[in-house]
Amino acid sequence: MAVVSDSMIEKLASARRSLKSSLEKSRVLGLALEKSGPRLEEINQRLPSLEAAVRPIRAQKEALVAVGGHINRAVSPAAAVLNVFDAVHGLEKSLLSDPRNDLPGYLSVLKRLEEALKFLGDNCGLAIQWLEDIVEYLEDNLVADERYLSNLKKSLKNLRELQNDEERVCLDGGLLEAALDKLECEFRLLLTENSVPLPMSSSSSLGEQPCIAPSPLPVMVIQKLQAIIGRLTANKRLEKCISIYVEVRSSNVRASLQALDLDYLEISISEFNDVQSIEGYIAQWGKHLEFAVKHLFEAEYKLCNDVFERIGLDVWMGCFAKIAAQAGILAFLQFGKTVTESKKDPIKLLKLLDIFASLNKLRLDFNRLFGGGACIEIQNLTRDLIKRVIEGASEIFWELLFQVELQRQTAPPSDGSVPRLVSFLTDYCNRLLGDNYKPILTQVLVIHRNWKHEKFQERLLVDAILNIIKAIEKNLETWSKGYEDATLANLFLVNNHWHLHKHLKGTKLGDLLGDSWLKEHDQSKDYYAAIFLKDSWGKLPSLLSREGLMLFSGGRATARDLVKKRLKSFNEAFDDMYKKQSNWVVSERDLRDKTCQLIVQAVVPVYRSYMQNYGPLVEQDPSASKYAKYTVQTLENMLASLFQPKPAKYVSFKGRQPSGKFSNGFT
């Protein structure tokens, strides 16, 4: 019984454990079911959408079979495009580095980028089209969900719009533009570092410097510039490239010219009275222009050709034209024009001939450097300047005779000296006939008459100058008659005949006039000098007459009175004549010395002899100083100091003018 009871108890204990374990499992399962409720609800809610997604699979069998091929054909180009996109991004690090480190390598990578972008540009549209076709197929055959297809359509539409607007920027994210910007910076840097202003020597030796033969940039630098230009041109940046080149090189030329002090090129017509006030600038202008053309613009012309020759003639000629204009050639031409607009006078004729000579000397250089269509502005300004110079010079030359004739009505110099007109024109005509000006003037007159369809003969130039000299002779004759004092008129003629003889003998003009003409003026000088001496100082010796003194028997007192009287008359006449003639002038020193010597020889010996013989009669007199007023030495010194020239004054032509433009001033 005890054994049974123990066995039963063990079974009951086992059943209890089993029941307890089952209850625990039931409790855990209940908890699990409780937690699974929401998930089942979620699944229940998603079942309709899953059903919609699975529904296309229930499409026709033929459509399901064909869709794989359509998708593969659309995805393959798109995948290729994506691979190229990856390659483009792989170039980014190289293209954002400094080109200077390895310019050839940089340009090679840039070219690869261009090729990649070209591939993308050519194939993106095709890939989009294929994707659009597969979307259309899926839609027509109900193979895909409508919402999915709608999203695809929207994405493809955005891609199509991006392709049409700023294609390259969108394709590479602006990488190409950034690389090109770096190339432009490198282009500017190469130019700036290797553009050095030409060393200046003294302004006076500018014309003696040899022309520059080698290019102003090293060959390696030119090759780098050409390589950069090639890539920039391929990407439609040639204009920006030219702009940088013109800016740097024109600045370099200006820096070269700056040492020459060219501020005078900016002078305006209102800043000077006449050509004579800027005569020095005109002389510099010719040297500076020649230096600029033969040294600076010649070098820039060659360099433009070297750098841009692969692009084409029009491009590099246009580039050079901009450099020349910005560097200062227009300022040179404008200065010449300003000179032509100044008041007309004879000195202006010489300066216009100087300008013409400078331009003519550079004619071949101008035609070669600035002859292209790109330099049309420079050509027009140059032609206009030459036209103004030729017309202005011809007009002044042919008016010279008329201007000389106009002066005939003016008063002669009050001091009997050589009129400024005479001294100026004798030298002026000699200069016109000289080797420096005659060929230029002849050329100018020939061109001007050709423009008027008139023939020119060299004799016209010679005759015009001879007529000017004849007009001067008539002026002298007329002026001599304008003096109230005949003695002053004679001195005036002595001065001028001597001037014409002395200053024209042995000159081009003197040879043209001939020996007989020169001899005639020399003889005229002697003739009027004799009359001058006879009618003035030659009268004084007669006042010291000895008549009555040697035979006088009335005693010493009477002789003294007679000597006093004659000395008084002599002193009064001498003082009057000396006072008057002290204001007269003999400009030429040798003529002045000779004239004074003749006067001394005519007066002093007579006075010396008279005072030696009769001076003692009055020297003891209390009033002796009234009669023995001058010692012989004092008298001689006073006569020797006559006719001294006064400080030069500005003398101008006066009288009616043939036009409102002609100024008669001569300095």
Side-chain angles (χ1 to χ4, degrees):
M1 188 67 179
V3 174
V4 173
S5 297
D6 292 337
S7 176
M8 288 298 292
I9 292 170
E10 182 64 30
K11 289 181 178 179
L12 287 172
S14 177
R16 178 178 175 275
R17 287 193 297 270
S18 176
L19 181 60
K20 185 177 180 180
S21 175
S22 297
L23 289 173
E24 182 64 25
K25 291 180 179 179
S26 297
R27 188 179 67 82
V28 171
L29 181 60
L31 291 173
L33 288 174
E34 185 179 352
K35 292 179 179 179
S36 300
R39 292 181 63 192
L40 292 173
E41 182 65 26
E42 182 181 351
I43 292 171
N44 187 52
Q45 292 176 356
R46 291 178 61 189
L47 282 175
S49 61
L50 291 173
E51 182 183 7
V54 175
R55 189 181 302 123
I57 300 176
R58 300 199 299 266
Q60 296 182 2
K61 182 179 180 181
E62 296 79 4
L64 288 172
V65 171
V67 72
H70 285 288
I71 291 174
N72 288 336
R73 284 193 298 273
V75 169
S76 294
V81 168
L82 290 175
N83 289 335
V84 174
F85 265 119
D86 290 339
V88 167
H89 289 299
L91 302 177
E92 184 172 348
K93 181 178 180 180
S94 298
L95 292 176
L96 293 180
S97 64
D98 190 346
R100 169 151 299 198
N101 298 330
D102 180 14
L103 182 60
Y106 190 92
L107 294 174
S108 176
V109 173
L110 179 60
K111 191 171 183 181
R112 286 168 54 195
L113 174 62
E114 294 171 19
E115 292 170 351
L117 292 179
K118 184 178 186 304
F119 175 85
L120 291 176
D122 294 341
N123 292 278
C124 276
L126 180 62
I128 292 172
Q129 182 62 53
W130 282 51
L131 290 173
E132 288 175 342
D133 290 344
I134 189 58
V135 169
E136 183 179 353
Y137 179 85
L138 294 174
E139 186 177 32
D140 291 344
N141 292 276
L142 303 175
V143 178
D145 180 55
E146 293 180 359
R147 287 179 294 175
Y148 173 73
L149 293 176
S150 176
N151 291 334
L152 274 178
K153 286 181 180 180
K154 185 181 296 183
S155 298
L156 291 174
K157 181 181 179 182
N158 291 336
L159 284 176
R160 182 68 73 183
E161 291 176 351
L162 289 173
Q163 182 195 19
N164 295 332
D165 298 335
E166 301 181 1
E167 178 178 336
R168 283 192 170 184
V169 175
C170 297
L171 292 176
D172 69 348
L175 179 59
L176 178 62
E177 292 300 310
L180 294 175
D181 289 343
K182 283 184 170 293
L183 268 190
E184 286 181 358
C185 291
E186 177 63 14
F187 186 78
R188 180 186 292 275
L189 196 59
L190 278 172
L191 279 174
T192 303
E193 289 180 349
N194 293 278
S195 295
V196 181
L198 188 66
M200 294 292 107
S201 63
S202 63
S203 178
S204 59
S205 62
L206 287 179
E208 303 170 5
Q209 295 186 11
C211 295
I212 296 174
S215 171
L217 291 184
V219 175
M220 288 297 296
V221 174
I222 292 177
Q223 291 174 349
K224 289 181 179 180
L225 293 175
Q226 289 175 334
I228 294 175
I229 290 171
R231 295 270 49 84
L232 292 176
T233 301
N235 289 277
K236 300 179 181 179
R237 288 208 182 191
L238 178 60
E239 286 303 318
K240 183 62 181 298
C241 186
I242 291 175
S243 175
I244 294 173
Y245 185 88
V246 170
E247 177 189 344
V248 175
R249 293 306 301 177
S250 61
S251 175
N252 189 67
V253 176
R254 288 195 301 272
S256 298
L257 291 172
Q258 189 174 6
L260 300 180
D261 190 15
L262 299 179
D263 292 344
Y264 69 88
L265 293 180
E266 305 300 326
I267 194 170
S268 66
I269 193 67
S270 61
E271 294 180 66
F272 63 96
N273 296 324
D274 49 50
V275 169
Q276 296 158 59
S277 61
I278 59 168
E279 190 171 351
Y281 291 148
I282 298 173
Q284 292 180 25
W285 177 86
K287 291 181 180 180
H288 292 164
L289 177 62
E290 181 178 358
F291 176 82
V293 171
K294 288 186 173 292
H295 293 261
L296 300 178
F297 294 125
E298 176 71 35
E300 293 305 321
Y301 180 88
K302 183 179 184 303
L303 184 60
C304 281
N305 180 28
D306 291 343
V307 173
F308 291 96
E309 62 178 340
R310 299 176 185 174
I311 308 300
L313 176 66
D314 292 342
V315 172
W316 73 260
M317 281 295 293
C319 186
F320 169 72
K322 292 176 181 177
I323 291 174
Q326 294 184 22
I329 188 65
L330 300 182
F332 277 102
L333 298 175
Q334 180 58 46
F335 176 80
K337 180 182 177 183
T338 301
V339 174
T340 66
E341 293 173 343
S342 62
K343 293 184 295 184
K344 292 192 295 182
D345 63 48
I347 292 295
K348 180 180 177 180
L349 169 58
L350 300 181
K351 297 303 107 184
L352 292 179
L353 294 179
D354 289 339
I355 291 176
F356 180 84
S358 296
L359 293 173
N360 193 50
K361 184 178 180 181
L362 297 171
R363 179 169 54 87
L364 296 179
D365 298 286
F366 262 73
N367 290 340
R368 180 170 51 83
L369 298 179
F370 310 118
C375 296
I376 189 66
E377 181 182 9
I378 297 174
Q379 294 169 25
N380 290 338
L381 287 174
T382 304
R383 279 194 291 266
D384 178 64
L385 175 57
I386 292 174
K387 181 174 182 291
R388 288 170 173 269
V389 167
I390 290 176
E391 290 180 343
S394 299
E395 185 178 4
I396 294 173
F397 177 76
W398 294 119
E399 285 186 3
L400 282 174
L401 175 61
F402 184 62
Q403 292 298 320
V404 174
E405 292 173 341
L406 281 179
Q407 306 315 304
R408 202 168 295 160
Q409 58 190 286
T410 63
S414 61
D415 56 10
S417 61
V418 178
R420 189 70 184 97
L421 169 67
V422 176
S423 58
F424 174 86
L425 280 178
T426 50
D427 176 67
Y428 184 78
C429 290
N430 258 323
R431 294 178 70 182
L432 292 181
L433 290 172
D435 295 336
N436 289 336
Y437 283 114
K438 185 179 179 182
I440 303 170
L441 178 58
T442 300
Q443 187 177 358
V444 166
L445 296 178
V446 168
I447 295 173
H448 188 251
R449 289 182 78 88
N450 283 341
W451 287 350
K452 297 166 65 177
H453 305 289
E454 297 175 357
K455 216 172 171 187
F456 178 83
Q457 297 177 346
E458 187 174 355
R459 189 68 200 176
L460 289 173
L461 171 59
V462 173
D463 288 344
I465 291 180
L466 289 177
N467 287 335
I468 291 173
I469 299 302
K470 291 177 182 178
I472 290 176
E473 291 181 297
K474 289 183 180 179
N475 284 11
L476 292 176
E477 182 181 352
T478 302
W479 285 333
S480 68
K481 296 176 181 178
Y483 289 106
E484 295 181 359
D485 190 328
T487 305
L488 179 57
N490 290 328
L491 181 65
F492 171 79
L493 291 171
V494 170
N495 267 321
N496 286 277
H497 285 296
W498 172 263
H499 179 86
L500 293 176
H501 173 267
K502 179 183 178 182
H503 288 273
L504 296 184
K505 185 177 182 180
T507 65
K508 298 278 187 182
L509 182 55
D511 295 341
L512 191 63
L513 292 165
D515 291 338
S516 59
W517 186 90
L518 294 170
K519 186 176 180 181
E520 180 182 345
H521 280 282
D522 189 35
Q523 293 173 345
S524 295
K525 178 264 299 181
D526 292 337
Y527 171 77
Y528 288 109
I531 296 178
F532 166 76
L533 187 60
K534 174 177 172 292
D535 291 345
S536 58
W537 299 101
K539 293 180 178 181
L540 292 185
S542 63
L543 298 177
L544 298 176
S545 172
R546 301 179 183 226
E547 184 179 353
L549 293 177
M550 297 177 64
L551 301 177
F552 196 84
S553 59
R556 188 178 181 88
T558 304
R560 182 186 298 112
D561 292 340
L562 191 55
V563 170
K564 285 182 178 180
K565 181 179 179 181
R566 290 176 180 175
L567 282 175
K568 182 180 179 182
S569 298
F570 174 87
N571 290 336
E572 289 175 350
F574 177 87
D575 290 344
D576 180 63
M577 201 171 297
Y578 182 83
K579 180 180 179 181
K580 180 168 59 176
Q581 296 194 18
S582 291
N583 294 319
W584 298 356
V585 170
V586 176
S587 305
E588 302 288 344
R589 180 173 181 176
D590 47 357
L591 177 61
R592 182 169 65 250
D593 292 344
K594 184 177 180 180
T595 303
C596 290
Q597 184 181 7
L598 290 174
I599 296 173
V600 168
Q601 290 173 356
V603 176
V604 172
V606 175
Y607 184 76
R608 178 187 292 112
S609 175
Y610 195 84
M611 292 303 293
Q612 286 175 350
N613 292 321
Y614 306 110
L617 292 175
V618 297
E619 287 174 355
Q620 302 301 321
D621 193 282
S623 59
S625 59
K626 290 175 56 179
Y627 307 104
K629 190 173 182 180
Y630 303 107
T631 65
V632 174
Q633 188 61 48
T634 300
L635 195 71
E636 185 174 351
N637 291 340
M638 291 176 67
L639 293 175
S641 66
L642 285 170
F643 313 125
Q644 296 295 323
K646 307 298 186 294
K649 295 182 179 180
Y650 178 86
V651 180
S652 65
F653 280 167
K654 298 178 181 178
R656 185 173 56 85
Q657 298 181 10
S659 67
K661 300 178 181 177
F662 201 97
S663 167
N664 293 324
F666 280 167
T667 59

